[in-house]
Amino acid sequence: MRIGVLGTGNMADALGTQWARAGHELLIGGRSRPKAVALAARIGHGARAGSLREAAGFGEVTLLAVAYEGVEAALDAAGAAEGTLCGRALIDCTNAIVPGRFTLATDGGPGMAERIAARAVGARVVKGFCHCADAVWRMTPPVFADGPLGVPLCGDDEDALEAVRTLVRDMGCVPLDGGGLERARLLESTVAFLLGFWFGGVEPRAALPPLAVQGRA
């Protein structure tokens, strides 16, 4: 499928590289054209570079991969309020987390996915790929002792969700149904909570009993 990428940072690099290797056609959009050109060259596999607006209008799926502080500016530059993302599956992999505190910068209001949906006219937003660092997404594939990595997805549009599920599977991962977009804020909060463990050197899985046991509780 055709995928427009908004952003030129680590997540754009990691996810974009995986999808290009899987045979998808990418257009990298950035505020800095030289950075977009450099990333497209690094990804290879026919990836091309353009502006944020060009990337927004490129494909069936668009990845928003910028720091949360730059989300509004990126969407504005992409023409999201003018409908450039209308009808497209828009993947939100952002984390609005206060550095060092592991709390949400959006606390007390709508989550990032909901804010993005409100700003990107007609876009079919899917929250996903936000619970792991770029180093995990660079693994080929992200498989561990207990199996392939699960990727929680939250969204309201079934066609958009299915397109993103395809991209999850193409990376060797397993899509997990996280519910509607209103539940994306729960995923965002979970990521913030888990980061506190990871940065503290604690294995969060120690707090989770096996499904077979939990199901009998």
Side-chain angles (χ1 to χ4, degrees):
M1 68 182 75
R2 289 158 59 96
I3 304 171
V5 179
L6 307 182
T8 56
N10 289 335
M11 289 292 284
D13 188 345
L15 293 170
T17 297
Q18 292 278 25
W19 294 334
R21 285 174 180 164
H24 300 291
E25 186 179 351
L26 267 65
L27 178 62
I28 309 297
R31 287 176 293 181
S32 164
R33 185 169 184 86
K35 287 185 178 180
V37 169
L39 178 55
R42 194 156 62 246
I43 289 174
H45 300 278
R48 296 183 286 126
S51 66
L52 288 167
R53 183 178 284 267
E54 288 170 334
F58 177 68
E60 307 102 286
V61 175
T62 306
L63 171 68
L64 177 61
V66 300
Y68 79 88
E69 301 95 334
V71 164
E72 291 186 2
L75 289 175
D76 287 348
E82 303 163 39
T84 55
L85 292 164
C86 186
R88 306 180 199 279
L90 176 60
I91 303 172
D92 166 29
C93 70
T94 65
N95 281 313
I97 295 173
V98 179
R101 291 179 54 193
F102 309 118
T103 57
L104 293 179
T106 56
D107 207 17
M112 279 303 298
E114 292 169 299
R115 295 178 188 215
I116 289 166
R119 201 170 189 91
V121 174
R124 302 181 295 171
V125 177
V126 177
K127 186 80 182 189
F129 302 99
C130 61
H131 71 304
C132 294
D134 65 285
V136 176
W137 303 123
R138 295 181 196 276
M139 296 176 68
T140 52
V143 174
F144 304 95
D146 52 355
L149 180 69
V151 182
L153 303 175
C154 297
D156 294 332
D157 187 282
E158 180 56 31
D159 289 340
L161 283 165
E162 187 53 37
V164 181
R165 290 184 194 117
T166 296
L167 297 178
V168 170
R169 296 185 187 103
D170 284 349
M171 297 177 63
C173 299
V174 178
L176 303 176
D177 182 8
L181 198 65
E182 65 179 4
R183 290 179 58 83
R185 69 179 73 182
L186 300 179
L187 176 56
E188 293 165 2
S189 296
T190 299
V191 173
F193 191 72
L194 291 175
L195 282 171
F197 284 125
W198 283 321
F199 276 84
V202 177
E203 174 52 74
R205 293 191 184 193
L208 301 174
L211 174 62
V213 176
Q214 184 70 6
R216 294 198 301 266

